[in-house]
């Protein structure tokens, strides 16, 4: 995962990514920040930082940005992000880009101008905070599930792509739900269904929904079960 721009929010996001053992490359124009990141012996095997002018796109090729699972763009203002995104798309048209947006009204602009998945930090935070006001246990559970499982007993939500060797390929959602729960204590919560263009998220779909290749199954599981599911599905978690 390539992170362009570094601040306190980027730091918090990177901590969650590192818990999930994701490899992170940080691009920052601040030399001191890059040195501080690279000096952290606890994260050196998973995270590295590169000091660079952000518009030196040749440097982005050096970190193989085109092979990144996703690019996280986090510049100070929405205007800076949007201008930079348009330039980045001209050089790397096929990147999958996610960016936090301060003004929720600009989400459609980001989608239309640069084909970016924008996330409103305020909207996400507000939903969790509101739950704490009247459904405290739901909000606590949600917060825990959004964080990667660190120990075998921790639970989180993971998604796995259905490849050609997946034992549930061609099976019904209901059959997969029952077997995963009974045999592995894993709860199937939904699936992302491959469409002609992109994917459609199905939350708790009907039992007779068929599972096809390149669909994603979304499951609740603990750290111990995650190792079993990865071996069973023949693929690592994530997109």
């Amino acid at each position: 995962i390539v992170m362009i721009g570094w601040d306190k929010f980027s730091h918090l996001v990177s901590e969650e990514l590192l818990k999930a053992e994701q490899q992170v490359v940080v691009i920052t124009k601040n030399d001191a920040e890059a040195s501080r990141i690279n000096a952290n012996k606890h994260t050196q095997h998973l995270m590295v930082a590169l000091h660079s002018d952000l518009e030196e796109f040749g440097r982005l090729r050096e970190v193989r940005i085109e092979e990144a699972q996703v690019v996280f763009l986090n510049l100070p203002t929405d205007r800076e992000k949007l201008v930079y995104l348009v330039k980045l798309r001209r050089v790397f048209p096929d990147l999958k880009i996610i960016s936090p947006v301060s003004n929720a009204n600009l989400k459609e602009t980001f989608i239309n101008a640069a084909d970016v998945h924008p996330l409103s930090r305020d909207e996400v935070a507000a939903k969790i905070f509101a739950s704490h006001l009247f459904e405290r246990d739901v909000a606590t559970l949600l917060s825990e599930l959004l964080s990667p499982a660190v120990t075998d007993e921790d639970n989180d939500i993971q998604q796995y792509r259905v490849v050609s060797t997946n034992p549930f390929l061609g099976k019904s959602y209901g059959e997969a739900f029952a077997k995963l729960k009974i045999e592995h204590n894993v709860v199937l919560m939904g699936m992302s269904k491959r469409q002609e263009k992109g994917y459609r998220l199905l939350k708790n779909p009907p039992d007779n929904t068929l599972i096809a290749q390149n669909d994603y199954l979304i499951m609740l599981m603990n750290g111990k079960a995650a190792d079993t599911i990865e071996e069973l599905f023949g693929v690592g978690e994530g997109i």
Side-chain angles (χ1 to χ4, degrees), residues 165-229:
T165 56
N166 191 296
F168 298 111
L169 177 62
K171 306 293 185 182
S172 71
Y173 182 90
E175 181 179 350
F177 181 97
K179 284 193 173 184
L180 284 167
K181 176 58 182 172
I182 293 170
E183 297 178 7
H184 304 289
N185 194 29
V186 169
V187 179
L188 184 57
M189 302 177 67
M191 62 191 299
S192 186
K193 194 74 178 164
R194 181 72 179 268
Q195 306 287 297
E196 186 174 339
K197 291 185 178 180
Y199 282 82
R200 179 188 173 199
L201 179 62
L202 303 177
K203 293 165 281 187
N204 193 25
D207 284 352
N208 61 359
T209 305
L210 292 180
I211 298 170
Q213 189 167 342
N214 291 322
D215 288 346
Y216 285 88
L217 297 185
I218 302 166
M219 297 165 282
L220 167 63
M221 67 186 75
N222 61 26
K224 184 177 181 180
D227 294 334
T228 301
I229 293 301

Side-chain angles (χ1 to χ4, degrees), residues 35-37 47 66 70 91 104 112 114 118 126 132-133 183 227 235 238:
S35 298
R36 195 157 44 242
I37 294 168
M47 185 162 73
E66 292 164 294
V70 68
V91 182
N112 295 331
H132 273 288
L133 297 179
E183 297 178 7
D227 294 334
V235 66

Side-chain angles (χ1 to χ4, degrees), residues 75-78 81 100-106 110 119-122:
L75 300 182
T77 69
D78 287 343
K81 292 170 195 165
V101 177
S102 300
N103 186 346
N105 294 325
L106 292 176
F110 274 76
L119 292 175
S120 170
R121 290 164 56 176
D122 288 343

Side-chain angles (χ1 to χ4, degrees), residues 139-158:
T140 300
L141 177 62
L142 175 61
S143 297
E144 291 178 358
L145 295 181
L146 288 174
S147 295
V150 177
T151 71
D152 284 349
E153 302 308 315
D154 289 341
N155 286 278
D156 70 343
I157 301 173
Q158 299 182 6

